[in-house]
Amino acid sequence: MATTADQIMAPALVSTTTTSTTTTTNGKQQSLSVAATTMQPSTKPNSNSNTNDEQQMQHQVEQNNKSTSPKPNAMNSLKLTKMGSVSTKEKRVYKIVLTGGPCGGKTTGQSRLCTFFENLGWKVFRVPETATVLLSGGVKFSDLTEKEDPPTPTTYVYKDLPFAAPEHSLIDLTASCPRCLAKAASKPNGSEAYKFQENLIRTMVQIENTYFELGNSSARNCLIICDRGVMDASAYISKDKWEKMMAANKWNPVEMRDNRYNQILHLVSAANGAEDFYSTEDHACRSEGVELARELDYKSAAAWVGHPYFDVIDNSTNFEAKMNRMIESVCQKLGIDIGDRLQATSRKLKYLVAALPPDSEFPPFQDFDVVHHYLQSAGPKVQARLRKRGQKNHWSYIHTQRRPNVHGQARIEVKTQLTHRDYMNLLAQRDDAHFTIYKKRRCFLINNQYFQLDIYREPGHPRCKGLVLLETYSSLTGEALKNCMPKFLNVVKEVTGDPDYSMFNLSLKEDWSTTKKYCRPATAKGATNGVTKTPLVLNGQ
């Protein structure tokens, strides 16, 4: 049995779209799948040679395409339609993480998601919280920190006990709590707790991989719901110990956070915005418990900041609407038309920012390098693009197809996670009418709201020079929305739905006043391609 961290995590680092094919080896037929054969290559391109590597691999792909008898490769079984579209008829395996502070609705959320997708004909697997599974076997954090006596009811002061979660009663101070274990691992004499935490993460990875493999072998579309994920542990371990653990196991955040799961759903604790409904089992609700629950909730969210599809489901609506918003978020990412079964409450918002303030003005953030390529499309109303996103030369790859409006419904996007090989093959279908878009994307959490700040970089069209755009999803309006916006940013105006700030239009090589490719929203009536457009000007730049 493999024991290294890379071998343990390997099954999860695969393409989301899975298609079976048959090959012959030593006279025997073997059934293979893209998900089992197209894992991320172990050699990552470095920052100096990344562009050359892409050009070289693209040249090789083009030469292979010209060959009269091309060799079979993983893309043969991906079944691409013409002009770079990934077939949406293939089986889907979609992996999500439900996370959040205490009393946020994770248990109910799992049940609702399970019922909803099973009614659609999907197979649903629910991965249990690994810490709870292991710690229910009798391990207690106090046993792992024997050099320090555990607190007693007579010495217990709730607000001075940083490793106690609000679920605990005064009697159950040595409970087998995952958060208590993580806090114990960060204490100076917590070497045993640290090692157990490391093994707990390894076990979590292995348990998840078992479910991921079941999903890959399922004949139906499969939704895999993880009760917390590997990054949750980083919320309760000191930064230096977490980095030490990552380095010792050769883990990196892009693989652990971005490539491992398709979507993260943070269900905000009732202690943050719905205090009247906050309660914990065997513990009377009080101000200290609520305050600590808020802190745990924020730390849990901060652990996932940077994931490309991280959705915060807050308490701005009642609980029933909160559950509907959670389901709606998953359906939107999957491109499932939910019709009028769920009321659309959350919308994407975009703002023009005048200039980038110093880094010191930001809350804790994650920066990513992002590269977008538009592909040739099957029609004028269909957009297909590739995205490469990463940190420190570790990358994730996504294919996105925007479908045209159907029966008056809003446009939807279908996103498919790719391997590096698939990404390089699809680059051969790049649309020369568009510039490649280079950005720095900064992700941060503030006022219980998740934001992405896109800072456009050269090379690109002059209209993109100095362009900074802020994006978020929210169901808030009016003053409530204004109050949650980051005050340290100089927001010029809201540009939601403005075609001048569409990445598709920004990347066009032709002048907007003459091109017929300028894309306008479907709701813009009476618009014609002859409308004169001028380049964006920011503060005289």
Side-chain angles (χ1 to χ4, degrees), residues 105-350:
K106 292 189 295 298
T107 302
T108 304
Q110 283 193 51
S111 177
R112 296 288 183 90
L113 281 167
C114 185
T115 301
F116 185 89
F117 277 87
E118 285 181 344
N119 288 341
L120 294 179
W122 285 54
K123 177 66 177 176
V124 180
F125 291 115
R126 289 185 282 184
V127 183
E129 185 176 18
T130 308
T132 301
V133 172
L134 296 183
L135 295 173
S136 63
V139 179
K140 298 181 179 180
F141 73 88
S142 59
D143 297 335
L144 303 176
T145 55
E146 295 177 350
K147 295 181 180 179
E148 180 177 342
D149 293 332
T152 64
T154 56
T155 61
Y156 173 69
V157 180
Y158 193 87
K159 62 183 179 180
D160 294 332
L161 192 58
F163 57 84
E167 291 91 335
H168 295 315
S169 67
L170 291 178
I171 300 175
D172 192 22
L173 294 175
T174 59
S176 299
C177 171
R179 300 181 189 89
C180 291
L181 171 69
K183 279 296 183 180
S186 293
K187 299 178 79 64
N189 57 353
S191 59
E192 291 184 8
Y194 172 88
K195 191 63 180 178
F196 185 83
Q197 182 75 29
E198 183 178 36
N199 287 327
L200 187 149
I201 294 175
R202 285 173 169 270
T203 305
M204 177 187 295
V205 168
Q206 188 59 63
I207 291 176
E208 289 179 351
N209 286 348
T210 300
Y211 283 91
F212 294 168
E213 288 293 337
L214 286 172
N216 291 334
S217 61
S218 173
R220 291 186 285 164
N221 288 335
C222 187
L223 178 71
I224 302 175
I225 308 170
C226 300
D227 189 346
R228 301 193 182 276
V230 292
M231 292 301 294
D232 277 288
S234 67
Y236 308 103
I237 296 180
S238 61
K239 183 178 179 181
D240 59 331
K241 291 201 173 186
W242 176 251
E243 291 178 351
K244 174 185 174 182
M245 187 182 296
M246 295 279 283
N249 291 276
K250 297 182 179 180
W251 294 333
N252 69 78
V254 172
E255 301 295 348
M256 296 276 279
R257 179 190 60 223
D258 303 348
N259 290 341
R260 186 166 181 79
Y261 312 100
N262 298 104
Q263 185 179 0
I264 310 301
L265 294 159
H266 178 86
L267 301 180
V268 176
S269 169
N272 197 342
E275 290 81 0
D276 291 343
F277 299 94
Y278 176 74
S279 63
T280 53
E281 186 178 356
D282 296 328
H283 181 76
C285 181
R286 51 183 166 182
S287 60
E288 292 92 339
V290 170
E291 291 173 0
L292 193 52
R294 289 172 181 163
E295 180 183 351
L296 292 170
D297 186 81
Y298 179 82
K299 286 182 176 180
S300 178
W304 293 101
V305 167
H307 190 282
Y309 305 114
F310 174 39
D311 293 289
V312 178
I313 313 298
D314 60 21
N315 296 304
S316 58
T317 59
N318 60 39
F319 187 75
E320 188 64 27
K322 181 179 182 179
M323 294 293 100
N324 286 344
R325 285 158 51 210
M326 173 196 65
I327 298 172
E328 178 188 14
S329 177
V330 177
C331 290
Q332 286 177 344
K333 297 297 189 299
L334 281 167
I336 295 175
D337 182 9
I338 57 177
D340 58 358
R341 282 179 290 178
L342 298 174
Q343 183 180 2
T345 56
S346 183
R347 65 204 187 283
K348 183 178 181 179
L349 302 172
K350 184 184 291 187

Side-chain angles (χ1 to χ4, degrees), residues 50-60 424 430:
N50 186 53
T51 302
N52 292 334
D53 289 345
E54 289 189 5
Q55 292 174 349
Q56 183 179 359
M57 289 193 69
Q58 183 178 346
H59 176 72
Q60 293 174 353
M424 297 309 305
R430 185 167 48 194

Side-chain angles (χ1 to χ4, degrees), residues 41-66:
S42 57
T43 303
K44 304 290 182 180
N46 58 50
S47 57
N48 296 327
S49 62
N50 186 53
T51 302
N52 292 334
D53 289 345
E54 289 189 5
Q55 292 174 349
Q56 183 179 359
M57 289 193 69
Q58 183 178 346
H59 176 72
Q60 293 174 353
V61 170
E62 291 171 350
Q63 292 300 316
N64 288 339
N65 291 339
K66 294 178 181 178

Side-chain angles (χ1 to χ4, degrees), residues 307-431:
H307 190 282
Y309 305 114
F310 174 39
D311 293 289
V312 178
I313 313 298
D314 60 21
N315 296 304
S316 58
T317 59
N318 60 39
F319 187 75
E320 188 64 27
K322 181 179 182 179
M323 294 293 100
N324 286 344
R325 285 158 51 210
M326 173 196 65
I327 298 172
E328 178 188 14
S329 177
V330 177
C331 290
Q332 286 177 344
K333 297 297 189 299
L334 281 167
I336 295 175
D337 182 9
I338 57 177
D340 58 358
R341 282 179 290 178
L342 298 174
Q343 183 180 2
T345 56
S346 183
R347 65 204 187 283
K348 183 178 181 179
L349 302 172
K350 184 184 291 187
Y351 299 88
L352 176 65
V353 177
L356 191 67
D359 291 354
S360 58
E361 297 291 326
F362 285 84
F365 61 83
Q366 294 281 340
D367 278 349
F368 297 86
D369 295 316
V370 182
V371 181
H372 287 278
H373 295 282
Y374 276 93
L375 305 179
Q376 302 171 53
S377 61
K381 294 183 179 180
V382 178
Q383 297 176 10
R385 66 175 184 261
L386 295 177
R387 188 194 70 190
K388 181 176 75 169
R389 176 182 183 271
Q391 295 173 311
K392 299 178 180 179
N393 299 321
H394 297 283
W395 303 95
S396 61
Y397 307 93
I398 294 290
H399 175 278
T400 300
Q401 183 182 40
R402 295 193 66 187
R403 297 177 182 174
N405 293 34
V406 180
H407 305 302
Q409 298 295 324
R411 294 179 66 131
I412 59 175
E413 293 185 345
V414 178
K415 300 177 184 292
T416 304
Q417 192 165 337
L418 302 175
T419 66
H420 182 258
R421 182 183 299 176
D422 297 344
Y423 172 80
M424 297 309 305
N425 276 276
L426 284 171
L427 270 181
Q429 301 181 32
R430 185 167 48 194
D431 189 347

